[in-house]
Amino acid sequence: MKYIDGYVQINNLYLKEIPEILNGVHIKGDFDVSFNILKSLNNSPVKVDGAFKCRYNKNLKSLVGGPKEVKSLIANNCSLRDLNGIPNFNAPVINTGNIDLSSNQLTSLVGLPTKVFGKLSIYNNPGLKTLAGCPELVRGDFEALWLPITNCIGGPKYVGGDLYLYDTDINSLEGFPKEVHGNVFLG
């Protein structure tokens, strides 16, 4: 397998697609294709040992075609509607494995892993009315603000960092995590 032993940054280039030369490549650092005009993740590297960053691609509606395995996924401010194509995560260490899916068009969290070893950000997804599909364990912060959720059912049972649940429609703490090892922000 071909690989690149470092960081690959091809952001702010008005790319409509990921260059074909990267198809199937193993990136041993981060891969950043943010701030482009991608409509798909076709031609993505197959594996990214660091963070896969595809944020601010407003035409991107799906993760299909993206890497099969990553350490972290930063896909905020796109137009993602579901988590089809979400990669596997290779982050077994505390404070790694962040997932940022904030400011998208998600209506479901089905497809997320059962454990996130870093921070999980799902805020500002106006169609997300339930936390069903959330990981049971989030070792870092859990950011679920600006959502039309009314309770915590389906959310994580363990949060190792801070818990952000303000500016929601929560009227019941049913399903609230059993353990939060940081601050709790409600309101």
Side-chain angles (χ1 to χ4, degrees):
M1 174 187 298
K2 292 189 250 175
Y3 69 89
I4 296 173
D5 193 12
Y7 186 104
V8 176
Q9 182 175 343
I10 53 173
N11 55 7
N12 285 308
L13 297 174
Y14 300 100
L15 294 176
K16 292 182 181 177
E17 61 183 33
I18 295 171
E20 189 175 346
I21 194 168
L22 294 167
N23 188 4
V25 173
H26 176 180
I27 306 291
K28 295 194 175 186
D30 291 348
F31 179 74
D32 193 348
V33 68
S34 301
F35 297 97
N36 282 298
I37 51 176
L38 298 178
K39 289 187 178 182
S40 81
L41 295 177
N42 291 340
N43 297 324
S44 283
V46 70
K47 182 177 179 181
V48 178
D49 288 349
F52 177 71
K53 302 174 185 179
C54 60
R55 61 188 189 242
Y56 289 94
N57 278 285
K58 294 291 187 180
N59 297 321
L60 188 61
K61 296 178 182 172
S62 172
L63 296 170
V64 172
K68 302 292 183 220
E69 188 176 328
V70 301
K71 179 177 180 182
S72 295
L73 174 65
I74 312 301
N76 57 302
N77 289 283
C78 297
S79 294
L80 299 179
R81 298 180 182 191
D82 59 46
L83 296 178
N84 291 334
I86 193 164
N88 291 319
F89 293 87
N90 58 9
V93 184
I94 295 174
N95 296 326
T96 61
N98 296 325
I99 300 175
D100 187 350
L101 298 166
S102 60
S103 299
N104 276 292
Q105 302 299 317
L106 294 175
T107 57
S108 170
L109 297 173
V110 172
L112 283 175
T114 58
K115 297 176 183 176
V116 173
F117 292 95
K119 176 168 67 171
L120 176 61
S121 302
I122 58 168
Y123 61 86
N124 196 27
N125 277 285
L128 197 56
K129 297 180 179 168
T130 175
L131 295 178
C134 259
E136 291 186 11
L137 176 140
V138 176
R139 289 241 173 122
D141 295 344
F142 178 58
E143 299 176 331
L145 45 152
W146 306 314
L147 298 175
I149 57 174
T150 57
N151 58 49
C152 298
I153 295 172
K157 293 178 177 28
Y158 173 94
V159 177
D162 294 339
L163 174 66
Y164 296 88
L165 286 171
Y166 57 85
D167 287 336
T168 64
D169 294 333
I170 288 181
N171 56 24
S172 165
L173 292 180
E174 188 175 4
F176 194 80
K178 294 183 187 318
E179 291 183 52
V180 177
H181 292 266
N183 299 306
V184 175
F185 299 95
L186 296 171

